[in-house]
Amino acid sequence: KQEVTQIPAALSVPEGENLVLNCSFTDSAIYNLQWFRQDPGKGLTSLLLIQSSQREQTSGRLNASLDKSSGRSTLYIAASQPGDSATYLCAVSPIDGGATNKLIFGTGTLLAVQP
Amino acid sequence: NAGVMQNPRHLVRRRGQEARLRCSPMKGHSHVYWYRQLPEEGLKFMVYLQKENIIDESGMPKERFSAEFPKEGPSILRIQQVVRGDSAAYFCASSPTGGFRRNTEAFFGQGTRLTVV
């Protein structure tokens, strides 16, 4: 059974720091892995999607890597800003042989960037 | 192109009442997924629907919960005889093709926050 874990559960950093969020998953049979951002009381915003054949994706100050064989992904945020404060969710799309693929989410990392 | 639209954003129901949550997918999307986020927990898959068909309801509670996606109109998640444990945020996502294969992104709505009092 696929399980997704995110460490740390919460992180507080001063503005300007570079930081890394970690995501691990137990089954490497995935189509892709996505990183989302969730603001309090809001929906999910997709940040980056990495296909199973890819090693990393970049968007602005964000870089996500994927090591499928070890079941790990990292989200790197450069030069953090207070506006980056949110919960960051990792989700995998498992190849389960069924008629559909549904995302399996981690419980998230709550990030606070202090001005 | 409007995103995935969910309404209402907030819904308060008394125990025993019915809750109806609506989801209009993005234009051109015919695949809808419902997820539930319980307090202090991650998002959990509930059901996957295509127009007029339930494809996978493996995450739906066996009783009181149902979902539909008619030919016309939004997808509806219905919870009958709500209990306090149903209080959660319910999110809908849509995609243009089946599943979230390879480079198909998941587009989520803002969610409906259900509070049962």
Side-chain angles (χ1 to χ4, degrees):
Chain A
K1 178 186 174 186
Q2 179 73 268
E3 292 184 1
V4 180
T5 304
Q6 291 187 246
I7 294 173
L11 181 64
S12 180
V13 300
E15 182 177 3
E17 272 203 10
N18 303 324
L19 57 97
V20 174
L21 307 181
N22 297 293
C23 172
S24 61
F25 47 97
T26 55
D27 189 338
S28 62
I30 63 171
Y31 280 112
N32 59 52
L33 181 145
Q34 279 188 261
W35 282 93
F36 293 87
R37 168 183 173 142
Q38 184 176 26
D39 292 281
K42 301 289 180 63
L44 279 70
T45 301
S46 179
L47 298 173
L48 290 164
L49 180 147
I50 312 176
Q51 298 178 42
S52 61
S53 58
Q54 297 176 323
R55 297 284 293 182
E56 66 178 344
Q57 283 286 338
T58 298
S59 175
R61 295 182 293 108
L62 305 179
N63 175 277
S65 67
L66 175 63
D67 184 343
K68 201 173 65 167
S69 61
S70 67
R72 294 181 181 179
S73 175
T74 61
L75 178 66
Y76 175 82
I77 302 177
S80 58
Q81 303 170 359
D84 295 330
S85 299
T87 297
Y88 290 80
L89 299 170
C90 164
V92 298
S93 174
I95 302 173
D96 59 7
T100 181
N101 297 299
K102 50 255 191 185
L103 297 180
I104 308 295
F105 282 85
T107 51
T109 293
L110 177 60
L111 173 65
V113 180
Q114 308 300 329
Chain B
N1 185 10
V4 178
M5 304 299 293
Q6 290 188 248
N7 67 82
R9 292 290 306 279
H10 299 275
L11 181 62
V12 179
R13 283 288 177 266
R14 296 186 183 278
R15 280 179 294 171
Q17 290 185 319
E18 178 179 283
R20 290 168 60 94
L21 288 61
R22 299 176 189 78
C23 169
S24 296
M26 289 181 69
K27 187 176 181 180
H29 289 192
S30 58
H31 300 258
V32 165
Y33 300 74
W34 285 93
Y35 290 81
R36 177 166 66 172
Q37 187 175 37
L38 292 166
E40 308 303 325
E41 294 189 20
L43 277 85
K44 305 290 185 186
F45 167 82
M46 298 182 75
V47 62
Y48 163 41
L49 310 102
Q50 293 181 32
K51 285 284 188 179
E52 300 184 276
N53 287 301
I54 297 174
I55 306 301
D56 183 337
E57 56 182 349
S58 59
M60 287 275 273
K62 298 298 182 210
E63 298 179 350
R64 300 187 298 106
F65 285 72
S66 62
E68 62 177 12
F69 190 14
K71 185 176 181 180
E72 301 291 337
S75 175
I76 305 289
L77 179 67
R78 182 182 291 109
I79 311 172
Q80 296 177 306
Q81 300 174 341
V82 296
V83 301
R84 290 229 169 102
D86 296 333
S87 295
Y90 292 83
F91 290 95
C92 168
S94 74
S95 66
T97 60
F100 293 108
R101 302 180 187 278
R102 299 195 181 274
N103 64 344
T104 300
E105 284 189 50
F107 297 89
F108 280 78
Q110 295 288 298
T112 293
R113 278 149 187 87
L114 172 66
T115 302
V116 180
V117 297

